[in-house]
Amino acid sequence: MVNLDQAFFLYFAAMIVVFSIVTITRKNPVYAVMALLVVFFHVAGLYVLLNAEFIAALQVVVYAGAILVLYLFVLMLLSVPREALGAAVHRRWPVYALVGGAAAVEIALLLARSKFAQRPGPYPPDVVREVGSTQAIGTVLFTEFLYPFEVISLVLLVAMIGAIVLTKKWTPAQGGEEGR
Amino acid sequence: MTELIQPIFQTAAWVAIHAFVPAFIVMNAVLIAGAFLTYVERKVIGHIQLRPGPNRVGPLGLLQPLADGIKLLTKEDIIPAQADRFVFVIAPFFSLVPVIMAYAVIPWGEPTTIMGLLPWLRAFDGWGYIPPAWNPFPLVPEKATLVVSNLNIGVLYILAMSGLSAYGIILAGWGSNSKYALLGGLRSAAQVISYEIAMGLAIVGTLMLAGSLSLVDIVRAQESSFWYILAQPLGFLIFFISGIAETNRAPFDLPEAESEIVAGFHTEYSGMRFAFFFMAEYGAMVIISAMASILYLGGWLPLQLPIPSSVPAIGSALAGADGAVRAVNGALMAIPPIVWMLSKIGFFLFVYIWLRATFPRLRYDQLMHLGWKVMLPLGLANIFVTGLVILVKG
């Protein structure tokens, strides 16, 4: 007999697996994006089960609400022609299967043998439940992980500058080469 | 057998009473209110433009939404031959469902016994006909909280749901396989993404003052201090303007600009599917209005004037008015909280309609300029100043 938590976990996990497969097997990229949206929602559900409501909300805000919308945006502009959608299986599939399989084995090994699996952090679930996941994340992010956090923001800044440099059209009036 | 089924029955009854009934009430109230909002909008715009507005169906045209509903339900449901059937059919749901879901965290008032109804229900035993083990009524709470779910991340939840509203519009635009619809969908995607950022930044100022992401806690924090519009006037303006853009309303209604792209993303839709987009738009308007009330106007809290003698600057001059002000405050207190909440929402909805009747539509480059070069920096500045003030005042 499973309790309610387990029942929800099984539901979320099953939906994630099923719709991940749907995502990578759709030929039409718009359908793939819609399946991926379902996956994101159920991942958010898993976070809620772990008492990480904040992460769950961010999952939906950032991945479903922003990144995936941008994907959809680009896909609509590209408008993939029907005949170019290609065969059911990519011709180099053994290579991809090998890489994917190796990654899966590696993750499994890491999880099975890692110290992270046993070491409880400063915020085990009962503490998180007490102070709230938002505050727990804020505290850890801006104290223990401050430097990694700053490094990430620097990386994002580089990406932003890169995007501007790549897309900006320089005109002679602005002192640049034309049509770069 | 009874021992096995009875706990399941109790759980099911608990879920039904604490989750399903409130959700059902809120959902239907929202949909009906949305229908009547179309009437209010036509009436208000009619009066602004010096014409009577709808006045044929029922007294003052009040039954117009009902007539419209019947018309939409019975209209032919056309799916264009070249459309992507699945996406075309599912897009209206993508549009409406997140909006309805967002209502789950909106608090409508203080916990109430609903004029003694709930204690009566609790004690109800079916006049002796329901066996005690099967009686779900003792599970009825003593007081209704008037919020379907007081999530501790309520604000983020609403932001997440309003971010999802772009999907319905984009998918409708793409699935219709029509140039106008596609252009409308693209405009909407760009607009929602741009203004979501400014809206999030504007809210941060309020969150810093309240120290919570729960909408109920934010109202409680204003109860013990003051309405946050006094401390966050800039944040309020950014939030409300971004909210209008986020809901694709005039003057930011480029995704459905009729003079340029017919009806934008819903050009190809008819009947009930079209109505879904409409309900989503009006539902989102109510959400933004409710958020503005909760974050900046104290939600369900009654308006209270400051007692003159407690204000240092004007204290001595108006000291005689203390009694009158107290009387006014007492009268304002007597109005039920839910009436306050609904009238604040109503006020913002009126502003929405007023703006639509008054302002011309922005051009696309103006829209982007306003979002990225005005709202975004102002939002950041607002956070910075709020942080400074909190730091200085301790």
Side-chain angles (χ1 to χ4, degrees):
Chain A
M1 191 71 187
V2 289
N3 62 28
L4 212 57
D5 269 9
Q6 284 167 327
F8 272 113
F9 173 77
L10 287 175
Y11 163 72
F12 287 132
M15 290 294 275
I16 288 169
V17 172
V18 169
F19 275 89
S20 303
I21 294 170
V22 172
T23 305
I24 56 172
T25 51
R26 286 315 89 183
K27 281 191 190 175
N28 187 332
V30 173
Y31 284 27
V33 164
M34 285 164 75
L36 195 58
L37 181 65
V38 178
V39 173
F40 284 158
F41 259 94
H42 287 79
V43 172
L46 282 186
Y47 286 132
V48 171
L49 283 186
L50 291 169
N51 285 306
E53 296 91 353
F54 183 70
I55 304 278
L58 285 194
Q59 165 84 17
V60 177
V61 172
V62 175
Y63 281 96
I67 294 179
L68 211 53
V69 172
L70 278 178
Y71 280 6
L72 209 51
F73 200 101
V74 174
L75 287 177
M76 282 163 63
L77 289 177
L78 291 178
S79 104
V80 189
R82 298 222 180 274
E83 55 276 8
L85 289 169
V89 181
H90 196 277
R91 63 194 160 83
R92 257 183 254 136
W93 72 269
V95 180
Y96 299 133
L98 198 70
V99 173
V105 170
E106 193 180 343
I107 290 170
L109 278 177
L110 275 174
L111 282 179
R113 310 178 66 178
S114 153
K115 287 178 186 137
F116 298 114
Q118 293 107 42
R119 192 190 69 176
Y123 284 93
D126 42 329
V127 179
V128 170
R129 212 169 293 153
E130 201 174 302
V131 299
S133 62
T134 315
Q135 194 181 334
I137 288 167
T139 314
V140 172
L141 199 60
F142 290 108
T143 54
E144 208 182 329
F145 295 103
L146 182 63
Y147 291 114
F149 182 73
E150 294 293 336
V151 169
I152 289 174
S153 45
L154 211 64
V155 172
L156 287 174
L157 184 68
V158 170
M160 274 164 70
I161 294 171
I164 293 169
V165 169
L166 284 176
T167 52
K168 173 95 180 163
K169 291 217 169 46
W170 301 93
T171 56
Q174 287 167 313
E177 310 160 33
E178 196 177 355
R180 184 147 64 123
Chain B
M1 196 63 187
T2 311
E3 301 83 68
L4 201 67
I5 295 173
Q6 210 266 338
I8 297 174
F9 168 77
Q10 288 286 332
T11 313
W14 193 91
V15 171
I17 289 170
H18 287 84
F20 186 74
V21 169
F24 183 82
I25 293 171
V26 168
M27 188 177 118
N28 282 286
V30 165
L31 292 180
I32 293 167
F36 272 90
L37 202 51
T38 62
Y39 165 80
V40 173
E41 171 153 37
R42 292 171 64 183
K43 207 74 182 169
V44 169
I45 289 188
H47 280 279
I48 289 176
Q49 297 170 348
L50 299 180
R51 49 190 181 80
N55 62 354
R56 285 287 176 267
V57 194
L60 296 172
L62 266 171
L63 297 179
Q64 186 68 44
L66 208 67
D68 286 346
I70 293 169
K71 183 194 80 176
L72 287 167
L73 270 173
T74 50
K75 255 196 157 173
E76 187 188 354
D77 174 33
I78 299 167
I79 299 179
Q82 295 298 311
D84 185 315
R85 257 191 104 85
F86 178 70
V87 175
F88 187 85
V89 167
I90 208 170
F93 296 94
F94 265 103
S95 187
L96 185 60
V97 169
V99 171
I100 293 179
M101 278 170 75
Y103 282 93
V105 294
I106 301 279
W108 302 95
E110 294 274 1
T112 168
T113 60
I114 318 184
M115 293 185 284
L117 176 70
L118 292 182
W120 182 82
L121 272 178
R122 252 175 99 83
F124 186 69
D125 61 349
W127 298 289
Y129 286 113
I130 305 174
W134 297 97
N135 185 1
F137 286 106
L139 293 171
V140 173
E142 194 72 48
K143 280 187 167 184
T145 48
L146 294 194
V147 48
V148 176
S149 170
N150 179 17
L151 276 187
N152 55 10
I153 45 141
V155 175
L156 276 179
Y157 175 83
I158 294 210
L159 281 182
M161 291 304 140
S162 74
L164 293 179
S165 64
Y167 279 100
I169 296 175
I170 299 178
L171 289 175
W174 184 82
S176 301
N177 202 359
S178 141
K179 299 266 187 306
Y180 296 128
L182 187 69
L183 283 173
L186 285 176
R187 283 184 180 191
S188 161
Q191 185 171 327
V192 170
I193 293 175
S194 306
Y195 279 85
E196 206 175 41
I197 301 167
M199 190 157 105
L201 288 178
I203 294 175
V204 170
T206 312
L207 299 181
M208 285 162 80
L209 290 176
S212 172
L213 285 167
S214 151
L215 291 171
V216 175
D217 290 354
I218 289 171
V219 176
R220 294 256 176 259
Q222 293 176 73
E223 197 168 21
S224 51
S225 54
F226 47 82
W227 291 6
Y228 285 152
I229 191 170
L230 298 175
Q232 296 279 327
L234 183 62
F236 168 73
L237 276 179
I238 298 171
F239 173 81
F240 196 62
I241 293 173
S242 312
I244 298 169
E246 183 89 357
T247 47
N248 296 325
R249 290 280 305 182
F252 301 101
D253 58 345
L254 287 97
E256 39 190 302
E258 59 280 331
S259 51
E260 303 158 24
I261 49 174
V262 192
F265 61 91
H266 59 63
T267 303
E268 306 292 338
Y269 281 86
S270 62
M272 225 36 216
R273 293 189 208 286
F274 165 76
F276 266 43
F277 285 115
F278 241 71
M279 284 193 276
E281 180 176 324
Y282 284 94
M285 274 166 72
V286 179
I287 284 280
I288 296 292
S289 304
M291 283 284 279
S293 315
I294 291 164
L295 293 173
Y296 297 100
L297 287 188
W300 66 77
L301 302 175
L303 178 70
Q304 295 286 284
L305 305 170
I307 307 293
S309 58
S310 68
V311 183
I314 55 161
S316 49
L318 282 167
D322 274 15
V325 171
R326 282 213 176 82
V328 170
N329 279 351
L332 291 173
M333 274 294 240
I335 300 170
I338 189 160
V339 175
W340 277 107
M341 181 71 184
L342 293 180
S343 22
K344 284 169 190 171
I345 294 175
F347 168 73
F348 283 121
L349 289 175
F350 176 75
V351 173
Y352 255 110
I353 297 167
W354 189 11
L355 288 175
R356 180 179 161 188
T358 317
F359 282 104
R361 185 179 299 128
L362 267 74
R363 235 175 29 228
Y364 191 73
D365 60 316
Q366 292 170 328
L367 176 95
M368 284 298 147
H369 178 90
L370 183 69
W372 289 102
K373 294 188 180 167
V374 180
M375 294 293 182
L376 189 68
L378 279 180
L380 285 171
N382 186 46
I383 295 175
F384 181 72
V385 172
T386 309
L388 267 188
V389 171
I390 291 177
L391 200 67
V392 169
K393 294 185 93 176

